[in-house]
Amino acid sequence: MTMSSNTPLPPNLAEGLKVLRAKWGWIVALGVVFLIAGFIALGSAVAATASAVMIVGIMMIMGGVAEIVAAFSVKGWGKFAVWMLLGLLYVGAGVIAIGNPFAAATILTLMLGAALVAGGVLRIFLAFSMKSAGKPWGWVVVSGLVTLLLGAMIIAQWPASSFFVLGIFLGIDLIFIGSGWVTMGLALKNRPVA
């Protein structure tokens, strides 16, 4: 696959790293912005939850519009109707999420808790199948237990947890993303010039 751009691509990895090294300050600044946003999200988890649900709602509307547009390229009434219905459902769900973010957060939080419980159970099951194969399995069990317990805690506090869980997850995610960008920028700054 070729890319058309006015900027020539670096011929090798070392040249690409030189280009990035020159921009290390911008990369660190981006990381700091993500870190600040993450701490703000943790500080106001309810507002962050509403924001996260609104973003999901906007994405659902965009996906629904894409489905509706794609429906017109489908030949045959049955397939057209299915694609159109899916698109309308996505748009409708997105509008509901934007119009009432806390009701949508309630549903999303319950689904998240259930997914974590199911993921934890599956991870524990996988660990015991790894044990019978003679592979290291202890950390997989610990990971499964943590995931299972987290999901159980979310469900146990539901629907009250709906107001803050998604915001906390968003804040933590932004902090990890920001830390990654800051670390990469500082590593590029300290990298010796080749």
Side-chain angles (χ1 to χ4, degrees):
M1 182 160 63
T2 62
M3 294 175 50
S4 64
S5 173
N6 294 339
T7 309
L9 294 175
N12 59 32
L13 182 61
E15 292 297 318
L17 286 175
K18 280 184 190 176
V19 171
L20 280 177
R21 186 174 192 275
K23 308 287 186 195
W24 74 268
W26 287 105
I27 294 170
V28 170
L30 176 66
V32 169
V33 168
F34 274 108
L35 283 169
I36 291 169
F39 284 113
I40 290 172
L42 286 179
S44 57
V46 174
T49 294
S51 299
V53 171
M54 290 184 147
I55 291 169
V56 168
I58 291 168
M59 291 169 42
M60 290 176 80
I61 290 172
M62 291 170 49
V65 168
E67 291 274 348
I68 291 169
V69 169
F72 288 102
S73 67
V74 174
K75 294 179 171 77
W77 172 250
K79 291 180 182 177
F80 171 81
V82 170
W83 280 52
M84 181 62 76
L85 180 62
L86 283 173
L88 291 173
L89 286 173
Y90 267 101
V91 169
V95 168
I96 291 170
I98 291 172
N100 195 347
F102 291 114
T106 303
I107 295 167
L108 290 172
T109 302
L110 183 61
M111 291 172 59
L112 174 66
L116 288 171
V117 167
V121 169
L122 288 173
R123 210 170 280 153
I124 292 167
F125 177 75
L126 172 68
F128 284 110
S129 66
M130 289 171 61
K131 179 182 178 185
S132 64
K135 297 181 180 169
W137 59 281
W139 285 112
V140 179
V141 170
V142 171
S143 170
L145 286 173
V146 168
T147 303
L148 175 66
L149 290 174
L150 181 60
M153 288 177 3
I154 290 170
I155 291 172
Q157 295 297 316
W158 185 83
S161 62
S162 305
F163 290 103
F164 58 86
V165 165
L166 297 176
I168 290 172
F169 277 37
L170 176 64
I172 291 170
D173 186 48
L174 289 171
I175 289 170
F176 275 102
I177 291 169
S179 301
W181 282 115
V182 168
T183 302
M184 185 171 71
L186 293 176
L188 285 168
K189 175 189 178 217
N190 297 329
R191 184 180 187 281
V193 179

Short mmCIF file of all heavy atoms in Angstrom, two decimals, residues 11-78:
data_model
loop_
_atom_site.label_atom_id
_atom_site.label_comp_id
_atom_site.label_asym_id
_atom_site.label_seq_id
_atom_site.Cartn_x
_atom_site.Cartn_y
_atom_site.Cartn_z
N PRO A 11 13.80 7.08 5.08
CA PRO A 11 14.21 5.84 4.43
C PRO A 11 14.36 4.67 5.41
O PRO A 11 14.28 3.54 5.01
CB PRO A 11 15.54 6.19 3.79
CG PRO A 11 16.04 7.38 4.52
CD PRO A 11 14.83 8.11 5.03
N ASN A 12 14.59 4.93 6.70
CA ASN A 12 14.74 3.83 7.64
C ASN A 12 14.31 4.28 9.03
O ASN A 12 13.96 5.43 9.25
CB ASN A 12 16.19 3.31 7.65
CG ASN A 12 17.17 4.40 8.02
OD1 ASN A 12 16.87 5.30 8.79
ND2 ASN A 12 18.37 4.31 7.45
N LEU A 13 14.36 3.35 9.97
CA LEU A 13 13.90 3.63 11.34
C LEU A 13 14.74 4.71 12.01
O LEU A 13 14.21 5.56 12.72
CB LEU A 13 13.93 2.33 12.15
CG LEU A 13 13.45 2.43 13.59
CD1 LEU A 13 11.99 2.88 13.63
CD2 LEU A 13 13.61 1.10 14.29
N ALA A 14 16.03 4.70 11.80
CA ALA A 14 16.90 5.70 12.43
C ALA A 14 16.53 7.11 11.98
O ALA A 14 16.49 8.04 12.80
CB ALA A 14 18.36 5.41 12.12
N GLU A 15 16.25 7.26 10.71
CA GLU A 15 15.83 8.58 10.20
C GLU A 15 14.48 8.98 10.78
O GLU A 15 14.25 10.15 11.10
CB GLU A 15 15.78 8.57 8.67
CG GLU A 15 17.14 8.45 8.01
CD GLU A 15 18.04 9.63 8.33
OE1 GLU A 15 17.56 10.78 8.32
OE2 GLU A 15 19.23 9.39 8.60
N GLY A 16 13.58 8.00 10.92
CA GLY A 16 12.28 8.28 11.50
C GLY A 16 12.40 8.72 12.96
O GLY A 16 11.69 9.62 13.41
N LEU A 17 13.31 8.09 13.70
CA LEU A 17 13.53 8.48 15.08
C LEU A 17 14.14 9.87 15.19
O LEU A 17 13.84 10.61 16.13
CB LEU A 17 14.40 7.44 15.79
CG LEU A 17 13.71 6.13 16.13
CD1 LEU A 17 14.70 5.13 16.71
CD2 LEU A 17 12.56 6.35 17.09
N LYS A 18 14.97 10.24 14.23
CA LYS A 18 15.53 11.60 14.22
C LYS A 18 14.42 12.63 14.06
O LYS A 18 14.42 13.67 14.72
CB LYS A 18 16.55 11.76 13.09
CG LYS A 18 17.90 11.20 13.40
CD LYS A 18 18.85 11.51 12.25
CE LYS A 18 20.16 10.76 12.41
NZ LYS A 18 21.05 10.97 11.28
N VAL A 19 13.47 12.33 13.18
CA VAL A 19 12.35 13.23 12.96
C VAL A 19 11.52 13.35 14.24
O VAL A 19 11.15 14.45 14.66
CB VAL A 19 11.47 12.74 11.78
CG1 VAL A 19 10.19 13.54 11.67
CG2 VAL A 19 12.26 12.81 10.48
N LEU A 20 11.27 12.21 14.88
CA LEU A 20 10.50 12.24 16.13
C LEU A 20 11.27 12.92 17.25
O LEU A 20 10.69 13.63 18.07
CB LEU A 20 10.13 10.82 16.55
CG LEU A 20 8.95 10.18 15.85
CD1 LEU A 20 8.76 8.75 16.33
CD2 LEU A 20 7.69 10.98 16.09
N ARG A 21 12.59 12.70 17.28
CA ARG A 21 13.40 13.31 18.34
C ARG A 21 13.31 14.82 18.29
O ARG A 21 13.29 15.49 19.32
CB ARG A 21 14.85 12.86 18.20
CG ARG A 21 15.73 13.32 19.35
CD ARG A 21 17.13 12.70 19.23
NE ARG A 21 17.89 12.89 20.42
CZ ARG A 21 18.59 13.99 20.68
NH1 ARG A 21 18.61 14.99 19.84
NH2 ARG A 21 19.27 14.10 21.82
N ALA A 22 13.22 15.37 17.10
CA ALA A 22 13.10 16.82 16.96
C ALA A 22 11.77 17.32 17.52
O ALA A 22 11.65 18.50 17.87
CB ALA A 22 13.22 17.21 15.48
N LYS A 23 10.78 16.46 17.64
CA LYS A 23 9.45 16.84 18.13
C LYS A 23 9.19 16.35 19.56
O LYS A 23 8.05 16.33 20.00
CB LYS A 23 8.36 16.25 17.21
CG LYS A 23 8.54 16.54 15.75
CD LYS A 23 8.23 17.97 15.44
CE LYS A 23 8.27 18.15 13.93
NZ LYS A 23 8.34 19.51 13.53
N TRP A 24 10.24 15.97 20.29
CA TRP A 24 10.04 15.38 21.61
C TRP A 24 9.25 16.30 22.54
O TRP A 24 8.44 15.84 23.34
CB TRP A 24 11.37 14.98 22.24
CG TRP A 24 12.17 16.15 22.74
CD1 TRP A 24 13.10 16.85 22.05
CD2 TRP A 24 12.07 16.76 24.03
NE1 TRP A 24 13.61 17.87 22.81
CE2 TRP A 24 12.98 17.84 24.03
CE3 TRP A 24 11.31 16.53 25.16
CZ2 TRP A 24 13.17 18.67 25.14
CZ3 TRP A 24 11.48 17.35 26.26
CH2 TRP A 24 12.39 18.41 26.24
N GLY A 25 9.45 17.59 22.46
CA GLY A 25 8.75 18.54 23.33
C GLY A 25 7.25 18.53 23.10
O GLY A 25 6.46 18.61 24.05
N TRP A 26 6.85 18.43 21.85
CA TRP A 26 5.42 18.36 21.52
C TRP A 26 4.80 17.07 22.02
O TRP A 26 3.65 17.03 22.47
CB TRP A 26 5.21 18.49 20.01
CG TRP A 26 5.44 19.89 19.53
CD1 TRP A 26 6.53 20.33 18.84
CD2 TRP A 26 4.60 21.01 19.72
NE1 TRP A 26 6.42 21.66 18.59
CE2 TRP A 26 5.22 22.11 19.11
CE3 TRP A 26 3.37 21.21 20.34
CZ2 TRP A 26 4.67 23.38 19.12
CZ3 TRP A 26 2.81 22.47 20.34
CH2 TRP A 26 3.46 23.54 19.73
N ILE A 27 5.57 15.99 21.95
CA ILE A 27 5.08 14.69 22.43
C ILE A 27 4.89 14.73 23.94
O ILE A 27 3.87 14.27 24.46
CB ILE A 27 6.04 13.56 22.00
CG1 ILE A 27 6.03 13.43 20.47
CG2 ILE A 27 5.69 12.24 22.67
CD1 ILE A 27 7.10 12.51 19.90
N VAL A 28 5.85 15.33 24.66
CA VAL A 28 5.72 15.47 26.12
C VAL A 28 4.52 16.36 26.44
O VAL A 28 3.74 16.07 27.35
CB VAL A 28 7.02 16.01 26.74
CG1 VAL A 28 6.81 16.39 28.19
CG2 VAL A 28 8.13 14.97 26.63
N ALA A 29 4.37 17.46 25.70
CA ALA A 29 3.24 18.37 25.94
C ALA A 29 1.90 17.65 25.74
O ALA A 29 0.96 17.84 26.52
CB ALA A 29 3.34 19.58 25.02
N LEU A 30 1.81 16.82 24.71
CA LEU A 30 0.59 16.04 24.49
C LEU A 30 0.33 15.12 25.67
O LEU A 30 -0.80 15.00 26.15
CB LEU A 30 0.71 15.23 23.19
CG LEU A 30 -0.46 14.30 22.87
CD1 LEU A 30 -1.72 15.10 22.60
CD2 LEU A 30 -0.12 13.42 21.68
N GLY A 31 1.38 14.48 26.17
CA GLY A 31 1.23 13.61 27.33
C GLY A 31 0.76 14.37 28.56
O GLY A 31 -0.09 13.88 29.31
N VAL A 32 1.29 15.57 28.76
CA VAL A 32 0.87 16.38 29.91
C VAL A 32 -0.61 16.76 29.78
O VAL A 32 -1.35 16.72 30.77
CB VAL A 32 1.77 17.63 30.04
CG1 VAL A 32 1.21 18.62 31.05
CG2 VAL A 32 3.19 17.21 30.44
N VAL A 33 -1.05 17.08 28.57
CA VAL A 33 -2.46 17.40 28.36
C VAL A 33 -3.33 16.19 28.72
O VAL A 33 -4.35 16.33 29.41
CB VAL A 33 -2.72 17.86 26.90
CG1 VAL A 33 -4.20 17.92 26.59
CG2 VAL A 33 -2.06 19.21 26.66
N PHE A 34 -2.95 15.00 28.28
CA PHE A 34 -3.69 13.79 28.63
C PHE A 34 -3.69 13.55 30.14
O PHE A 34 -4.71 13.17 30.72
CB PHE A 34 -3.12 12.57 27.91
CG PHE A 34 -3.67 12.35 26.54
CD1 PHE A 34 -2.90 12.58 25.41
CD2 PHE A 34 -4.96 11.89 26.36
CE1 PHE A 34 -3.41 12.37 24.14
CE2 PHE A 34 -5.48 11.67 25.09
CZ PHE A 34 -4.70 11.91 23.98
N LEU A 35 -2.55 13.76 30.79
CA LEU A 35 -2.46 13.59 32.24
C LEU A 35 -3.39 14.55 32.97
O LEU A 35 -4.12 14.15 33.89
CB LEU A 35 -1.02 13.79 32.72
CG LEU A 35 -0.06 12.65 32.47
CD1 LEU A 35 1.38 13.08 32.75
CD2 LEU A 35 -0.42 11.45 33.33
N ILE A 36 -3.38 15.81 32.57
CA ILE A 36 -4.25 16.80 33.19
C ILE A 36 -5.72 16.42 32.99
O ILE A 36 -6.52 16.45 33.93
CB ILE A 36 -3.95 18.21 32.64
CG1 ILE A 36 -2.58 18.68 33.12
CG2 ILE A 36 -5.04 19.21 33.06
CD1 ILE A 36 -2.07 19.94 32.43
N ALA A 37 -6.06 16.03 31.77
CA ALA A 37 -7.44 15.60 31.50
C ALA A 37 -7.82 14.40 32.34
O ALA A 37 -8.95 14.31 32.85
CB ALA A 37 -7.61 15.30 30.01
N GLY A 38 -6.90 13.47 32.53
CA GLY A 38 -7.16 12.29 33.35
C GLY A 38 -7.41 12.64 34.80
O GLY A 38 -8.35 12.13 35.43
N PHE A 39 -6.60 13.54 35.34
CA PHE A 39 -6.80 13.94 36.74
C PHE A 39 -8.10 14.75 36.91
O PHE A 39 -8.78 14.61 37.92
CB PHE A 39 -5.59 14.70 37.27
CG PHE A 39 -4.43 13.80 37.58
CD1 PHE A 39 -3.26 13.87 36.83
CD2 PHE A 39 -4.51 12.86 38.59
CE1 PHE A 39 -2.20 13.03 37.10
CE2 PHE A 39 -3.45 12.00 38.88
CZ PHE A 39 -2.29 12.09 38.12
N ILE A 40 -8.42 15.56 35.92
CA ILE A 40 -9.70 16.29 35.97
C ILE A 40 -10.86 15.29 35.93
O ILE A 40 -11.84 15.43 36.67
CB ILE A 40 -9.80 17.31 34.81
CG1 ILE A 40 -8.82 18.46 35.05
CG2 ILE A 40 -11.22 17.83 34.65
CD1 ILE A 40 -8.68 19.42 33.88
N ALA A 41 -10.75 14.28 35.07
CA ALA A 41 -11.81 13.26 34.99
C ALA A 41 -11.96 12.51 36.30
O ALA A 41 -13.07 12.23 36.74
CB ALA A 41 -11.52 12.29 33.85
N LEU A 42 -10.83 12.19 36.95
CA LEU A 42 -10.92 11.52 38.25
C LEU A 42 -11.51 12.43 39.32
O LEU A 42 -12.22 11.99 40.21
CB LEU A 42 -9.55 11.01 38.69
CG LEU A 42 -9.01 9.79 37.97
CD1 LEU A 42 -7.62 9.43 38.50
CD2 LEU A 42 -9.95 8.61 38.12
N GLY A 43 -11.21 13.73 39.21
CA GLY A 43 -11.72 14.68 40.17
C GLY A 43 -13.20 14.96 40.03
O GLY A 43 -13.87 15.34 40.99
N SER A 44 -13.72 14.78 38.84
CA SER A 44 -15.16 14.99 38.60
C SER A 44 -15.67 13.80 37.79
O SER A 44 -16.02 13.92 36.62
CB SER A 44 -15.40 16.30 37.88
OG SER A 44 -14.68 16.34 36.67
N ALA A 45 -15.72 12.66 38.45
CA ALA A 45 -16.06 11.40 37.77
C ALA A 45 -17.47 11.42 37.20
O ALA A 45 -17.73 10.82 36.15
CB ALA A 45 -15.89 10.23 38.72
N VAL A 46 -18.39 12.12 37.84
CA VAL A 46 -19.77 12.17 37.34
C VAL A 46 -19.81 12.91 36.00
O VAL A 46 -20.43 12.44 35.04
CB VAL A 46 -20.71 12.81 38.38
CG1 VAL A 46 -22.10 13.00 37.81
CG2 VAL A 46 -20.76 11.97 39.65
N ALA A 47 -19.14 14.06 35.93
CA ALA A 47 -19.10 14.80 34.67
C ALA A 47 -18.36 14.01 33.60
O ALA A 47 -18.74 14.03 32.42
CB ALA A 47 -18.44 16.16 34.88
N ALA A 48 -17.30 13.31 34.00
CA ALA A 48 -16.55 12.50 33.05
C ALA A 48 -17.40 11.35 32.53
O ALA A 48 -17.31 10.99 31.35
CB ALA A 48 -15.27 11.98 33.69
N THR A 49 -18.24 10.78 33.39
CA THR A 49 -19.15 9.71 32.96
C THR A 49 -20.11 10.24 31.90
O THR A 49 -20.32 9.62 30.86
CB THR A 49 -19.92 9.13 34.16
OG1 THR A 49 -18.99 8.49 35.02
CG2 THR A 49 -20.97 8.13 33.72
N ALA A 50 -20.69 11.40 32.18
CA ALA A 50 -21.62 11.99 31.21
C ALA A 50 -20.90 12.29 29.89
O ALA A 50 -21.45 12.03 28.80
CB ALA A 50 -22.23 13.27 31.78
N SER A 51 -19.69 12.79 29.96
CA SER A 51 -18.92 13.08 28.75
C SER A 51 -18.62 11.81 27.97
O SER A 51 -18.74 11.78 26.74
CB SER A 51 -17.60 13.77 29.11
OG SER A 51 -17.84 14.99 29.75
N ALA A 52 -18.23 10.75 28.68
CA ALA A 52 -17.92 9.49 28.00
C ALA A 52 -19.15 8.93 27.30
O ALA A 52 -19.07 8.46 26.16
CB ALA A 52 -17.38 8.48 29.01
N VAL A 53 -20.30 9.01 27.96
CA VAL A 53 -21.53 8.50 27.35
C VAL A 53 -21.91 9.35 26.14
O VAL A 53 -22.36 8.83 25.12
CB VAL A 53 -22.67 8.45 28.39
CG1 VAL A 53 -24.00 8.13 27.72
CG2 VAL A 53 -22.36 7.41 29.45
N MET A 54 -21.70 10.66 26.22
CA MET A 54 -22.01 11.51 25.07
C MET A 54 -21.10 11.19 23.89
O MET A 54 -21.55 11.19 22.75
CB MET A 54 -21.92 12.98 25.46
CG MET A 54 -23.03 13.40 26.37
SD MET A 54 -22.94 15.15 26.70
CE MET A 54 -24.66 15.52 26.86
N ILE A 55 -19.84 10.90 24.16
CA ILE A 55 -18.92 10.52 23.09
C ILE A 55 -19.39 9.21 22.45
O ILE A 55 -19.40 9.07 21.22
CB ILE A 55 -17.47 10.42 23.61
CG1 ILE A 55 -16.96 11.82 23.95
CG2 ILE A 55 -16.57 9.74 22.60
CD1 ILE A 55 -15.66 11.83 24.71
N VAL A 56 -19.80 8.25 23.29
CA VAL A 56 -20.32 6.99 22.76
C VAL A 56 -21.57 7.27 21.92
O VAL A 56 -21.74 6.69 20.84
CB VAL A 56 -20.62 6.00 23.91
CG1 VAL A 56 -21.42 4.81 23.41
CG2 VAL A 56 -19.33 5.53 24.56
N GLY A 57 -22.43 8.16 22.39
CA GLY A 57 -23.63 8.52 21.63
C GLY A 57 -23.30 9.12 20.27
O GLY A 57 -23.91 8.76 19.26
N ILE A 58 -22.32 10.00 20.24
CA ILE A 58 -21.91 10.61 18.96
C ILE A 58 -21.36 9.55 18.02
O ILE A 58 -21.66 9.53 16.83
CB ILE A 58 -20.88 11.73 19.22
CG1 ILE A 58 -21.57 12.93 19.91
CG2 ILE A 58 -20.20 12.17 17.92
CD1 ILE A 58 -20.60 13.95 20.46
N MET A 59 -20.55 8.64 18.57
CA MET A 59 -20.00 7.56 17.73
C MET A 59 -21.10 6.66 17.20
O MET A 59 -21.05 6.19 16.06
CB MET A 59 -18.96 6.77 18.52
CG MET A 59 -17.69 7.57 18.79
SD MET A 59 -16.52 6.85 19.96
CE MET A 59 -16.49 5.16 19.52
N MET A 60 -22.12 6.40 18.02
CA MET A 60 -23.24 5.57 17.57
C MET A 60 -24.01 6.25 16.45
O MET A 60 -24.41 5.60 15.48
CB MET A 60 -24.16 5.25 18.75
CG MET A 60 -23.55 4.30 19.76
SD MET A 60 -24.59 4.04 21.18
CE MET A 60 -25.74 2.85 20.50
N ILE A 61 -24.20 7.55 16.56
CA ILE A 61 -24.89 8.28 15.50
C ILE A 61 -24.08 8.23 14.21
O ILE A 61 -24.62 7.97 13.13
CB ILE A 61 -25.18 9.74 15.93
CG1 ILE A 61 -26.25 9.75 17.03
CG2 ILE A 61 -25.61 10.58 14.74
CD1 ILE A 61 -26.47 11.11 17.67
N MET A 62 -22.78 8.43 14.32
CA MET A 62 -21.93 8.38 13.13
C MET A 62 -21.97 6.99 12.50
O MET A 62 -22.06 6.85 11.27
CB MET A 62 -20.50 8.78 13.49
CG MET A 62 -20.36 10.24 13.83
SD MET A 62 -18.75 10.71 14.55
CE MET A 62 -17.59 9.98 13.45
N GLY A 63 -21.89 5.94 13.33
CA GLY A 63 -21.96 4.58 12.82
C GLY A 63 -23.31 4.29 12.18
O GLY A 63 -23.41 3.62 11.15
N GLY A 64 -24.38 4.80 12.79
CA GLY A 64 -25.72 4.61 12.24
C GLY A 64 -25.90 5.28 10.90
O GLY A 64 -26.48 4.71 9.97
N VAL A 65 -25.37 6.49 10.77
CA VAL A 65 -25.44 7.19 9.49
C VAL A 65 -24.67 6.42 8.43
O VAL A 65 -25.13 6.28 7.28
CB VAL A 65 -24.93 8.64 9.64
CG1 VAL A 65 -24.72 9.30 8.29
CG2 VAL A 65 -25.90 9.46 10.49
N ALA A 66 -23.52 5.88 8.80
CA ALA A 66 -22.74 5.07 7.85
C ALA A 66 -23.52 3.83 7.43
O ALA A 66 -23.50 3.46 6.25
CB ALA A 66 -21.40 4.68 8.46
N GLU A 67 -24.21 3.19 8.36
CA GLU A 67 -25.04 2.01 8.03
C GLU A 67 -26.16 2.40 7.08
O GLU A 67 -26.48 1.68 6.13
CB GLU A 67 -25.64 1.41 9.31
CG GLU A 67 -24.65 0.74 10.21
CD GLU A 67 -24.38 -0.69 9.84
OE1 GLU A 67 -25.11 -1.28 9.02
OE2 GLU A 67 -23.40 -1.24 10.38
N ILE A 68 -26.80 3.53 7.33
CA ILE A 68 -27.90 3.99 6.47
C ILE A 68 -27.39 4.28 5.06
O ILE A 68 -28.00 3.88 4.07
CB ILE A 68 -28.59 5.22 7.08
CG1 ILE A 68 -29.35 4.79 8.36
CG2 ILE A 68 -29.54 5.88 6.09
CD1 ILE A 68 -29.85 5.95 9.20
N VAL A 69 -26.25 4.96 4.97
CA VAL A 69 -25.66 5.24 3.66
C VAL A 69 -25.30 3.94 2.96
O VAL A 69 -25.56 3.77 1.76
CB VAL A 69 -24.42 6.16 3.81
CG1 VAL A 69 -23.64 6.25 2.52
CG2 VAL A 69 -24.84 7.54 4.30
N ALA A 70 -24.74 2.98 3.70
CA ALA A 70 -24.37 1.69 3.11
C ALA A 70 -25.59 0.92 2.65
O ALA A 70 -25.52 0.14 1.69
CB ALA A 70 -23.56 0.87 4.10
N ALA A 71 -26.73 1.12 3.31
CA ALA A 71 -27.95 0.40 2.94
C ALA A 71 -28.36 0.71 1.51
O ALA A 71 -28.89 -0.16 0.80
CB ALA A 71 -29.09 0.76 3.89
N PHE A 72 -28.09 1.92 1.05
CA PHE A 72 -28.49 2.29 -0.30
C PHE A 72 -27.61 1.65 -1.38
O PHE A 72 -27.97 1.66 -2.55
CB PHE A 72 -28.50 3.82 -0.46
CG PHE A 72 -29.64 4.45 0.27
CD1 PHE A 72 -29.44 5.07 1.49
CD2 PHE A 72 -30.92 4.40 -0.25
CE1 PHE A 72 -30.50 5.64 2.18
CE2 PHE A 72 -31.99 4.96 0.43
CZ PHE A 72 -31.78 5.58 1.65
N SER A 73 -26.47 1.08 -0.97
CA SER A 73 -25.62 0.41 -1.95
C SER A 73 -25.89 -1.09 -2.00
O SER A 73 -25.29 -1.80 -2.80
CB SER A 73 -24.14 0.65 -1.61
OG SER A 73 -23.81 0.02 -0.41
N VAL A 74 -26.79 -1.57 -1.15
CA VAL A 74 -27.10 -3.00 -1.10
C VAL A 74 -28.22 -3.31 -2.08
O VAL A 74 -29.21 -2.60 -2.15
CB VAL A 74 -27.51 -3.40 0.34
CG1 VAL A 74 -27.96 -4.85 0.37
CG2 VAL A 74 -26.36 -3.17 1.30
N LYS A 75 -28.01 -4.37 -2.83
CA LYS A 75 -29.04 -4.78 -3.77
C LYS A 75 -29.96 -5.79 -3.07
O LYS A 75 -29.51 -6.63 -2.33
CB LYS A 75 -28.41 -5.40 -5.00
CG LYS A 75 -27.62 -4.39 -5.81
CD LYS A 75 -26.99 -5.06 -7.02
CE LYS A 75 -26.39 -4.06 -7.94
NZ LYS A 75 -25.15 -3.50 -7.56
N GLY A 76 -31.20 -5.68 -3.29
CA GLY A 76 -32.17 -6.60 -2.68
C GLY A 76 -32.87 -5.93 -1.50
O GLY A 76 -32.23 -5.34 -0.63
N TRP A 77 -34.18 -6.03 -1.48
CA TRP A 77 -34.98 -5.36 -0.48
C TRP A 77 -34.70 -5.87 0.93
O TRP A 77 -34.62 -5.10 1.88
CB TRP A 77 -36.47 -5.53 -0.83
CG TRP A 77 -37.37 -5.04 0.25
CD1 TRP A 77 -38.15 -5.80 1.07
CD2 TRP A 77 -37.54 -3.69 0.69
NE1 TRP A 77 -38.81 -5.01 1.96
CE2 TRP A 77 -38.45 -3.70 1.76
CE3 TRP A 77 -37.01 -2.47 0.29
CZ2 TRP A 77 -38.85 -2.55 2.42
CZ3 TRP A 77 -37.41 -1.32 0.95
CH2 TRP A 77 -38.32 -1.37 1.99
N GLY A 78 -34.52 -7.17 1.12
CA GLY A 78 -34.30 -7.73 2.44
C GLY A 78 -33.04 -7.20 3.10
O GLY A 78 -33.05 -6.79 4.26
#
